[in-house]
Amino acid sequence: PGIIDNQQVKLGEVIKEGISDDNIDRLRIGVGYFYTSGLKSLQPELEEFIEGGGQVDVMMGNTVNRETMEELVAGYKSQEMARVRQPNHLIQEGDKRELEQELIANLEDQVLYTEPTQQNQEFIIKLAQWLNEGSLELRVYPKERFHAKAYVLEGDSGGTITRPELAGIVGSSNLTFSGLTSNTELNATVYTADAEELQAWYEERWEEAEEFSPKLLDVIENSWAAYHPSLNLADPYKVYIKSLYE
């Protein structure tokens, strides 16, 4: 499709179709805001893609704003929200540590407000596994406020006109449950020379971005989701409830 607006065509479905193509072996995502609910909405195709040897790179901005609250409601149906501060557009060197802590707190909230079901727990544990293996890599763009939304599908070789080995999507959708499924968005697909230019743009900023995977791993390992039934530890629901009162 040329235009993807989540009305006639949903971005999540386009991405799932793309990573289901045997010719595609890498998904590269550049977004202002990252939510685990966005990745979960790509299931089960995402898991099949990664388990089949696919690589997923996610580059995100280092700010959070009121959209964080809205997305927690949309993605997790929770009414308990934390207030977050909206930082300036230009990121000063002295602010980076504080912004990093805000990002970590945002990720902690995402896991905290996820309903503590077995299905959600298994997905979060799967995220940790992918991060450990390096098949999912998360980086933060540190220079200024990162507001881009780009999705790049890369293939190994042998693309055709109907199944290109390189394609991209640019537009308005963040990697969120709503951005991929229900918000009225405006995204467009790009191919050939335009896709190559998008790929080069992404790679340049990816090299400037800072590693963030270990920090998401820490969040998961210190959350209710880490209490997996196979480990014979505390019941995850009890841990979840306890955390709400701490």
Side-chain angles (χ1 to χ4, degrees):
I3 297 296
I4 306 167
D5 62 359
N6 287 342
Q7 303 304 309
Q8 299 299 319
V9 181
K10 295 186 182 295
L11 179 56
E13 295 303 314
V14 173
I15 294 174
K16 288 195 284 187
E17 182 179 351
I19 60 178
S20 297
D21 189 327
D22 292 340
N23 187 52
I24 300 300
D25 61 6
R26 192 171 195 177
L27 172 62
R28 313 196 78 181
I29 301 170
V31 288
Y33 305 106
F34 163 79
Y35 296 88
T36 55
S37 65
L39 284 179
K40 188 173 185 294
S41 71
L42 298 176
Q43 288 287 74
E45 288 84 354
L46 179 66
E47 182 173 351
E48 294 169 0
F49 175 69
I50 292 178
E51 298 298 330
Q55 171 69 32
V56 179
D57 298 331
V58 179
M59 175 169 53
M60 64 178 181
N62 58 359
T63 62
V64 292
N65 68 4
R66 187 161 296 276
E67 181 179 346
T68 300
M69 297 186 184
E70 297 168 359
E71 190 60 35
L72 285 171
V73 171
Y76 302 122
K77 311 301 182 187
S78 172
Q79 299 301 313
E80 297 279 344
M81 243 57 76
R83 291 184 176 273
V84 291
R85 178 181 63 84
Q86 181 170 348
N88 296 327
H89 286 260
L90 297 178
I91 308 303
Q92 304 298 321
E93 189 65 33
D95 294 333
K96 287 184 179 180
R97 176 63 178 170
E98 182 179 352
L99 291 172
E100 179 182 288
Q101 292 304 310
E102 288 185 356
L103 267 181
I104 293 171
N106 172 246
L107 290 170
E108 289 173 341
D109 284 346
Q110 289 184 44
V111 177
L112 173 63
Y113 293 117
T114 301
E115 186 178 0
T117 64
Q118 181 177 346
Q119 182 185 55
N120 284 336
Q121 183 183 33
E122 288 174 351
F123 177 71
I124 293 172
I125 295 300
K126 185 66 69 173
L127 278 183
Q129 177 185 328
W130 295 339
L131 290 165
N132 268 318
E133 295 172 348
S135 51
L136 170 63
E137 186 171 354
L138 186 64
R139 294 189 185 183
V140 172
Y141 188 74
K143 286 193 169 183
E144 59 272 330
R145 187 172 183 182
F146 190 79
H147 206 252
K149 288 92 177 176
Y151 300 80
V152 185
L153 294 158
E154 300 179 358
D156 48 7
S157 62
T160 66
I161 293 176
T162 56
R163 297 175 62 197
E165 63 180 84
L166 178 63
I169 302 167
V170 293
S172 63
S173 289
N174 276 305
L175 183 60
T176 67
F177 176 82
S178 299
L180 298 183
T181 64
S182 59
N183 286 349
T184 297
E185 305 280 358
L186 183 57
N187 303 288
T189 51
V190 295
Y191 302 97
T192 59
D194 290 332
E196 292 175 0
E197 187 174 355
L198 178 61
Q199 182 185 42
W201 176 93
Y202 188 100
E203 182 61 31
E204 180 180 346
R205 283 149 187 81
W206 180 255
E207 291 302 317
E208 296 174 335
E210 298 175 353
E211 188 178 37
F212 204 77
S213 295
K215 295 180 175 63
L216 178 53
L217 263 175
D218 287 343
V219 168
I220 293 173
E221 291 171 356
N222 288 287
S223 74
W224 63 266
Y227 292 84
H228 198 272
S230 64
L231 300 178
N232 294 317
L233 295 176
D235 179 83
Y237 181 75
K238 294 178 180 178
V239 176
Y240 168 76
I241 295 298
K242 181 176 181 291
S243 66
L244 292 177
Y245 290 93
E246 290 181 343

